[in-house]
Structure formats: structure tokens, C-alpha cells
Amino acid sequence: MSVSIPSNSVPSSASRFQVHVINEGHGSAAAVGDSADPPHYEETSFGDEAQNRLRISFRPGNQECYDNFLQTGETAKTDTTFHAYDSHTNTYYLQTMDAVPKIEYYRNTGSVSGPKVNRPSLLEIHEQLAKNVTVAPGSADRVANGDGMPGDEQAENKEEDMTGVVKFGWVKGVLVRCMLNIWGVMLFIRLSWIVGEAGIGLGVIIIGLAVTVTAITGLSTSAIATNGYVRGGLGVLIILLSTMVTSITGLSTSAIATNGFVRGGGAYYLISRSLGPEFGGSIGLIFAFANAVAVAMYVVGFAETVVDLLKESDSMMVDPTNDIRIIGSITVVILLGISVAGMEWEAKAQVILLVILLIAIANFFIGTVIPSNNEKKSRGFFNYQASIFAENFGPSFTKGEGFFSVFAIFFPAATGILAGANISGDLEDPQDAIPRGTMLAIFITTVAYIGVAICVAACVVRDATGSMNDTIVSGMNCNGSAACGLGYDFSRCQHEPCQYGLMNNFQVMSMVSGFGPLITAGIFSATLSSALASLVSAPKVFQALCKDNIFKGLQFFAKGYGKNNEPLRGYFLTFVIAMAFILIAELNVIAPIISNFFLASYALINFSCFHASYAKSPGWRPAYGIYNMWVSLFGAILCCAVMFVINWWAAVITYVIELFLYIYVTYKKPDVNWGSSTQALSYVSALDNALELTTVEDHVKNFRPQCIVLTGGPMTRPALLDITHAFTKNSGLCICCEVFVGPRKLCVKEMNSGMAKKQAWLIKNKIKAFYAAVAADCFRDGVRSLLQASGLGRMKPNTLVIGYKKNWRKAPLSELENYVGIIHDAFDFEIGVVIVRISQGFDISPVLQVQDELEKLEQERLALEAAIKDNECEEGKGGIRGLFKKAGKLNITKPAPKKDGNISSIQSMHVGEFNQKLVEASAQFKKKQGKGTIDVWWLFDDGGLTLLIPYILTLRKKWKDCKLRIYVGGKINRIEEEKISMASLLSKFRIKFADIHIIGDINIKPNKESWKVFEEMIEPYRLHESHKDLTTAEKLKRESPWKITDAELEAVKEKSYRQVRLNELLQEHSRAANLIVLSLPVARKGSISDLLYMAWLEILTKNLPPVLLVRGNHKNVLTFYS
């Protein structure tokens, strides 16, 4: 191996992985290394100075960039951030192609955050370099850094295209959206009523105690309080209980969002990548629909407020219902225009709405300290009063109301925490923005809700008449209420309904505020911002769902437009749905279902976090560590409970819809692999079960055939695999095995490249089997390795299934020796053997080769046609070279779709190019067998495997119409007795049979014609040493030790007679059977030559229907004991 070393290489005394200290001043162009000689260790120095040697020097101003790199791993660029002589440059790679860790190696292909780069493969590093290859300075570095890699140009172009894309930070992208969505109309028109019903108080203490014990205590206390036994501060508790649900969900969302790069799709993306497409697809669809209908709900809320204002000014257009429809339709059209204009305009609108909302909230707090006038006092507002605070501390539920009913009304106000996560694809750094923005939004909005609740309950009494004449004059009796102590008598509200106070007036905040119209503006801002957020969220989530192609019919909506990949089709679909519900204008029934849809999403997010933690996958490494798997599980259970609390029938509908979609996606089995926690847990469960199984001793009742099938590539011998799969499917282990024989380097390369493809073929064809391969010097060594090492624990093969070697007479002697040798090896390892023979043989490699050639020709034709078409459209661009370049490109990037694995699907026009009978024979076990028989010739007791396999076959759908006929040997003078004895045995085994035949003439000589056929078969392989002198005979034996000697043939003549006679009997009794299962004769090692044994098998199974030659390991596989 010749490797040239440049003159500026590192000194030979340096360790291979030595990195010198870099001392760099401002503007210096070179680094000065340590003057001291480094210690001479074997490989790498691990001394105290290692830290200094690996220290990184920064240029002025680069420290901050490096710190950012440590946190995110995304912002640092090697070529600009680090020094020219650091460990990522040519100097490091002068003597090795090994690459240092870089983020580019770990990106997905087509990543928007940067190009995917391929590191040097293990083969490139491990194998010897070609003799004429010279490693030029920096060449290895270019390989390591991806220079010249295929596809890099496209990746770089894609990266350039990303310039100009609008991305949001955590404030504008998450915090603002979540705050606007959580602060809804409930803050202004329902919060005062909730406090009036439930009271205020001890909830402030538990604001920081969102733990399981406190939550359970709070629920228990609340349940008792609703029955009137205990008076407590439940208003704040309701707020905090709602906040606890959203906070736990926020923690779970943060954990999932920081466990890897997050793309667009919000809740759908988080759930699907964690729990898999089944849960993700089902919840993604209903979550997108819920957001679309939520647009209508918020817009109708806005329209109702406007209509109320029109009523007050007597400016109604038609009537209240139609006015709501008109205003709602106009509003949703305007919102659609803002959304379609782009995310940047939508974000600006959200900021403006947030400013209005904050001003409205501040306006309320200012109003609480402005001295009240007589009109406001008559309506129950007295500024901050301790007596009012004390009176409103306890609950005072009106008729029909309770803790859970009030909680159900308030809880939708706490939702909206996923508004930022739903546009995850438009965030600069979703992993940082989602946790920070979501949790801060929950905290701020919770403080605001609690602050407003306490302030309004400390200023306004529960009931007020609104009459300024209801003042107390001297001599009047006072009922002891807070209002009475402040000079007003509202006692008549106990006997007749009043219009003012916390319990009666939904416009309390407008009355309390410093300037009432600002509260109205706040209501407008809350409704419109929530509607706008939902109008953006629904298409984004829906687009991500459609891109994954889980629901095939929705692929149309996956297309995006512009730099930001805007889902315009999704926007218009959301618009249509929202408009439909706005025109209905009856949302009282659908509203609970929408709330339950959101809660179902929260429940699955919490469960996703728990499930990922519980699965203990090494890939679960969230950067956000403030979560607990059991708290997440509690949050999921709590969300499910709240769903029933809000509306039980809506919860049932939600679960039914989700279950239906889950079953649909599971049935369709989308071709995706996201490394979900479901997969991780499946692995853990399988591993635990396999380990647990090793502690249990094998029992004959639990025996099942666990087979190694020597198919080679599973697609090359489908009939052999089909018949084996017929008796192992859903009951036993089946491993398709292939042995690669030849030069080790080539074999290993070929083996590794085809492993995944062949296992995928099994999955595609719904064959429940594994694929395993080994590379060996000879076929027998490879099979021997498989027999010893295949399986896991108790799930180890106990049966070897091979095809009959049809060409044994023409095959090289080494192949024949290997074939018979593996049968001997199986018996040595106490493994049963099944040899399957069909008339046409099993190997359809020629058919596959023809099929591949046809597909390649068709692919090339389509590619050339496409290239010619493109060339015609762009005539004059590139000439003939451009034409062939395009054709070559299309040939790679647009392959023709693969055909189904079933060989019989090949076009009939090409059937003449290969053996049609072979094709038909390869599919014969795929068909339903119809009415017929499986003839079992149970001639030798092998433990029962010869009987068990055909019995299992009769349980299969394709073989269930076939009846078992049992043939056994016996004495001619005791046929009836032996028949009764065998029937008794089979009945004890509980094996149904159609008939039993006792064959009494097995051991008689075959007829002369049959024996002559056998003699002619073995004639070319006989030694005939008895007709030679002793010296010549010995010489012949030495030259041809594989031939059949006269002595051997004479010693086993009776056995040879038996094989020929059995074929005569099989021709007589089982010629019309669907399948023959026959006891396999055993060749004693050292006594029976390979050729004679193959001649036995040949004459035994000649001119018969499909035959299974079976020999168990002579250990019981059947029992009649319970």
C-alpha cells in the first residue's frame, strides 16, 4: 500500500491522536505548539495535560458563538468559528480518514437546518487502500466533510432556498400565541360569575404545589364542598386545577419537544413521533378538525358581542341570528386574508391584539382602585373591602350548579397551550421556543386569572339590585351582609332575581374598569386572536398529517406554497369548515365535543411522555429535564377524567371517533418508521418475555415446530417458504436462511447489502418469518453455524426444512456431500429434518432474473421518454448531451414502481421467456387446496412430528378442507387389531382423521420393473469392485471413495427393496393426494454413501404429488396427558 505524506505533516514523534495547544493572539496567522515533547504513550495520552492539549482557542468575539454551539449544536460553523489549525482541519487527517464528530453526519437527508453529510464508511476505513491510490493532503478531510458527495449540491441549493423564510423566536412564535389563546372571552365575561359561584381563598397556597397529593386532596375537598358540608375557596382552586392539567401537559410537551429536532405539525407531530402513526394519525385528524371548528366558535363569540352593541344602539341589520351570521362571515373572510397574506402579517396582527388585550386587563386593575360612585355601588361595586372579600371567600352555588359544572365552564379558558407548538415548523428553534414560551405563558396567564379573580371578588358583592334607592336609613334592620355594612340593602335579591352583582351580571369587568369600552376591545382582541391562532394551527397540523400520507385520500392538502411552505389548500378547507359552522350558528352541542377533542390531545401528549420514559429507550434524552413520567401519567388520567366531567356523552363520542381512526390506520399499516416509543416498548416486552421464557422448562404440550428453512433469498424459493409458513404461522418460529459461499470480503458485502431488503420482502408478502444469513467457506459450515447459533433462548429452531436436491445426479460431488452432510449435522444436533419435494423444483432465480431485466427495460424506456419530452420543452438547451444527462438522472430519481412480490403477476406476454410450469409450481401452496386428502405415511415413530405437521396444516384456512388419511405398517394377519390400536392412539392424541390404512406388504420385494429403474439409476455410481481383483478393487476405492460398493449395496439390499416398494405403494394409494407426508429414512453415518442415500430419496418420491419427508428428533412432540 502506497500512501504519500506531505512535507508539512506532523512530526513522527507525535501521537497519532495528538492535538497541540494553540496560543493565538489577535490577528495571528499561525499557532505556536507546545515546545515540550509530548509523552510517548501507546495510542492516546490520558495524562493531566490532556485537558490543556485539547483546549480550544477562540478568536476575539467567538466565545459567545461557541457557548451557543454547546447549547444548541446548530449555530456553529466549523469553517468560520474555529481556528485554521484546530482538530477539524487537514492537519488532523493527514494519516487517517477517520472523521471527528460533526452535526452534519447526524442530519436527515433534506434537512432544512443544513445539508446531510456522509462520514467515511467502516469499509472505507477498515479495508486496505488500493495500491495505486495516494491520499492527497486534505482529501480525507474532504470525504469527512462531505465534499463531492452525491446529493450535496442539491442540499446546498435547498439551503440557499431557505433564505427569506420567515421564522419566529420564542416570544412572537410561542409566548404571544399561547397567551392570546389562553386569555379568552372567559376572562372578561365569565370569570366573575365563576368566582361568585365558587368563592376565593386557599387556592393561592397551592399555586406552586402542582403535585399528585395536592391534586387528589383538592379533588376530594371539592367533591365534599359541592355537597355543602364545607365552605372553602373554590374559585381559585378551579383555576389552579385547570392550570395543573395544562401545566402537566406543558411539561410533557416540553420534554417531547426537546427530545430531538421538531418539524411542523404541532401536537400531531409530537404524538405521532412518540407513539407512532396509529395514535398520531387518529388524534391529528380530530385535532385539526377541532381547531377548524374552534375558529367558528371564537368568531361567533365575537359576533355575539358586536350584536349586543348593535342592540344597545338600536342598529340591528336583520335579526340577532342573521346578524351573527353576517358579521361572522365577514370576520372569517378578513381573518383568512390575514392568514393567506403570510405568517409575518399574521404575527404582526397577533402582537397588536396582545397589546389591546394587555391594555384591557390593566384597565380593569386600574378601575378597581378608582373610587366608586353611587351608580356603581348600587350595582355592587365598592372598591376593595375586607368584608366583601370575607363574604365571597366561601362557595355559594345556585340551584343546579356545583363544583364540576362550574369547572366544566371554566376549563376551556385554560386551553390553548399548544398554539405555539402547532406552528413548530415556523419556529427558529422549536426545542428552545416551545418549552420556554409555553411554560412562561401558562405562568403569566395563571397569575392573571388568579389576580383578576381575587380582585373582582374583593370589590363586588354577589347580588345587587342596581337601584340607588336601596340605601340603608337609620332605624332599618340590616341582614348582616357586606353590602348592608356598606350602606346598601340588597336583601330582596334573596326572594327575587336581580340583574347585578357577581352572580347575575356578566359585564362586571366593564363596570369595574376605568374605561368600559376598553373591556369590549379586550373581548374583541381575545376572540379574534384565538380565532386567528386556530385558523393558522388547523392547516399547519393538517398539512403535516397529509405529508406523512397516513390517510391516502388527503394527499392533495399536503402541498405548500411560497418560501414558508404555506398550506393554502388547508387554509381554504379550514375556511369552509368554519363558515359552515358559523352559518349553523348553533354551537351549544358541538362546543363540548371540541373541548373534548383538545383534551384528548392533551391526554395523549402526557401519555406520550410517560410511554417514552417507561419504554427506557436510549434515544429518549429530552433536554428539558423538569418532568416526571408518573406526573405525566397522572396528567393523562386527569385529562380523561376532565373529559367526562365536562360532558360525558361528548367524551364517549371523542373516544369512539379516535378508536375508529386508530383501527383504520392500524389496518392500513402506513409505511413509516419514526422510532416511536411503541417500538421501544415492544422490544423491551419481547426481551422480557424471552428472558422469562428461559426460566420455564420445555413441555411436550407446548411443543411447536420452530423451523430453519434453507430458502436462500426468500423470494428465490417461495414454494418452500409457503409450505413451511403454513405450519409455523402464528404458532412457531420460522427463519429463512441463506449461506453465502465464496471470498469473505465479497460475501459479507453482498450479505449486508441485502439483509434489510429481504426482511422487507417477507413483511410485504405478510410472511411471519425472520431472515438470517451467514458467510462461510462452504455451504455445510454455514448451515452448521445456523443450526447451532440461530434463535434466542427457548425460541430456538428444532426442525430443519430443506428442498429436495433435484439435480443431485449432475451436481458436483462437493455439493452432494454438503447436502447429505447437513442432514447428518441436524441429526447430530438433535434437530428434526423435513425434506420437501415438488415436481418442478423450488429455485425460480431464472424467473426473477427475467423479471428484473423486464423491469429495467421498462424503467429505461420511461426515463428516456420523459427526457425526450423535457428536451422538446426546452429545445436548444444542452443538446444531445443534455438529453442523455436528463435521461440518466430520471433513471435514478424516478424508478418504475416495483411489482408485487407474487411471481405470477408477471405479464402474460413475457411468460414464454421462462418456464411457465415453474412459475405455477412456485405458487401452488398459496392457493386454497380445496377438498382432498393429506396422506400421512407414519412408518416409523419419530416422536410424533410426522403426524403433528399434517395436523397443523389442516387447521389452516387453505388446507382445512383436506382430510387426514393415516398409513402405517403392520402384519397381514393382524390388520384389524392394529387398525383399532392406531385409531385408539389417534383419538387419545385428539387428532381427527378420515381413514386408517394398515399396509401389511411393505417388506415384500418390489416388482422387477421398479427394481430395474433403481438399478439403472445407481449404475453410473457403482464401483463394481467384486468383479475386479483385490489390487484393482483397492485402487478403485482409493480413486473413487464416493462410489457405491457392491458390499455396501448387498448389506442394505433389504432397505433398498423397501424404498422401491414404498414408491409402488405410494403410487397405488396416494397418487391423487394433495400432499404426502412420509417418514424420512435415516442413513447411518459411515454405512450409507451419499449417492446411495440420494438414490433412496429419489426412488421413494419419484412421480408423486408434493411430498414432505419428515423425521423428528425421536423426542415426544405429542401427548395424551392433560
Side-chain angles (χ1 to χ4, degrees), residues 15-30:
S15 175
R16 182 182 180 187
F17 295 103
Q18 181 69 45
V19 180
H20 291 284
V21 177
I22 298 172
N23 297 318
E24 183 184 88
H26 177 65
S28 63

Side-chain angles (χ1 to χ4, degrees), residues 56-130:
I56 298 177
S57 261
F58 303 98
R59 293 172 180 170
N62 280 357
Q63 175 69 46
E64 181 181 354
C65 184
Y66 179 72
D67 292 339
N68 196 18
F69 172 79
L70 288 179
Q71 293 174 9
T72 65
E74 289 286 345
T75 59
K77 300 294 182 183
T78 304
D79 55 349
T80 60
T81 302
F82 295 101
H83 189 270
Y85 291 102
D86 62 18
S87 62
H88 287 254
T89 58
N90 294 346
T91 304
Y92 190 76
Y93 287 100
L94 287 177
Q95 298 182 18
T96 179
M97 290 182 66
D98 264 336
V100 295
K102 291 180 67 176
I103 192 170
E104 287 81 1
Y105 300 139
Y106 297 91
R107 288 195 177 105
N108 288 335
T109 303
S111 172
V112 297
S113 59
K116 161 73 174 175
V117 177
N118 296 323
R119 69 177 61 81
S121 69
L122 185 61
L123 189 65
E124 291 172 336
I125 296 172
H126 185 239
E127 293 293 335
Q128 290 185 346
L129 291 173

Side-chain angles (χ1 to χ4, degrees), residues 363-364 367 370 376 509-510 512-520:
N363 175 51
F364 164 76
I370 297 176
K376 289 186 177 181
M509 288 191 67
S510 295
V512 172
S513 65
F515 184 62
L518 281 179
I519 298 299
T520 303

Side-chain angles (χ1 to χ4, degrees), residues 119-293:
R119 69 177 61 81
S121 69
L122 185 61
L123 189 65
E124 291 172 336
I125 296 172
H126 185 239
E127 293 293 335
Q128 290 185 346
L129 291 173
K131 291 185 178 181
N132 296 327
V133 173
T134 300
V135 181
S139 61
D141 182 56
R142 286 196 297 273
V143 174
N145 288 279
D147 295 346
M149 289 291 180
D152 282 359
E153 184 179 351
Q154 292 91 330
E156 290 173 5
N157 292 339
K158 185 170 183 177
E159 185 72 10
E160 292 173 2
D161 292 341
M162 295 302 294
T163 58
V165 174
V166 178
K167 295 288 185 180
F168 302 111
W170 70 274
V171 175
K172 188 183 289 187
V174 180
L175 179 65
V176 171
R177 294 175 187 278
C178 288
M179 289 172 62
L180 284 170
N181 239 27
I182 296 173
W183 278 332
V185 182
M186 196 71 62
L187 178 66
F188 297 102
I189 63 175
R190 282 293 186 274
L191 190 57
S192 58
W193 175 84
I194 289 169
V195 176
E197 289 281 348
I200 60 175
L202 298 177
V204 175
I205 300 176
I206 62 172
I207 191 170
L209 304 178
V211 294
T212 305
V213 176
T214 310
I216 296 174
T217 305
L219 287 171
S220 303
T221 305
S222 304
I224 297 173
T226 55
N227 289 327
Y229 295 119
V230 177
R231 296 175 63 85
L234 298 182
V236 176
L237 182 59
I238 288 174
I239 297 173
L240 292 173
L241 185 59
S242 303
T243 304
M244 182 170 62
V245 175
T246 56
S247 297
I248 295 174
T249 307
L251 292 173
S252 300
T253 304
S254 301
I256 298 173
T258 57
N259 190 53
F261 186 77
V262 179
R263 293 188 175 87
Y268 159 73
Y269 185 88
L270 297 177
I271 294 172
S272 62
R273 268 49 177 186
S274 182
L275 290 179
E278 296 83 6
F279 280 108
S282 58
I283 204 65
L285 199 59
I286 65 175
F287 186 71
F289 177 76
N291 273 282
V293 178

Side-chain angles (χ1 to χ4, degrees), residues 907-978:
Q907 298 176 2
S908 58
M909 63 180 292
H910 300 297
V911 168
E913 299 182 19
F914 48 79
N915 192 331
Q916 185 177 1
K917 291 183 178 180
L918 182 60
V919 174
E920 294 173 354
S922 69
Q924 62 180 305
F925 296 126
K926 294 181 183 293
K927 305 172 185 176
K928 187 175 177 61
Q929 297 301 310
K931 292 185 178 180
T933 63
I934 298 177
D935 288 358
V936 182
W937 290 71
W938 195 15
L939 304 178
F940 308 105
D941 194 330
D942 59 351
L945 186 64
T946 307
L947 188 60
L948 181 62
I949 288 177
Y951 167 74
I952 295 175
L953 284 175
T954 59
L955 302 178
R956 305 307 183 197
K957 186 177 180 180
K958 294 174 183 176
W959 295 87
K960 67 178 182 179
D961 294 331
C962 293
K963 306 298 182 182
L964 291 183
R965 295 193 303 184
I966 312 299
Y967 294 83
V968 294
K971 296 180 180 179
I972 296 178
N973 57 354
R974 299 188 73 253
I975 288 179
E976 287 303 321
E977 293 86 344
E978 293 191 9

Side-chain angles (χ1 to χ4, degrees), residues 396-464:
S396 180
F397 295 114
T398 55
K399 185 177 180 180
E401 299 294 345
F403 174 81
F404 290 113
S405 64
V406 174
F407 176 79
I409 292 172
F410 173 77
F411 183 79
T415 60
I417 61 173
L418 296 179
N422 286 339
I423 63 163
S424 53
D426 297 295
L427 301 176
E428 288 180 356
D429 186 3
Q431 292 177 277
D432 176 69
I434 291 175
R436 186 186 299 186
T438 302
M439 298 310 297
L440 185 57
I442 291 173
F443 175 76
I444 293 174
T445 53
T446 301
V447 171
Y449 271 123
I450 293 175
V452 171
I454 292 176
C455 290
V456 75
C459 297
V460 184
V461 296
R462 280 193 168 104
D463 297 296

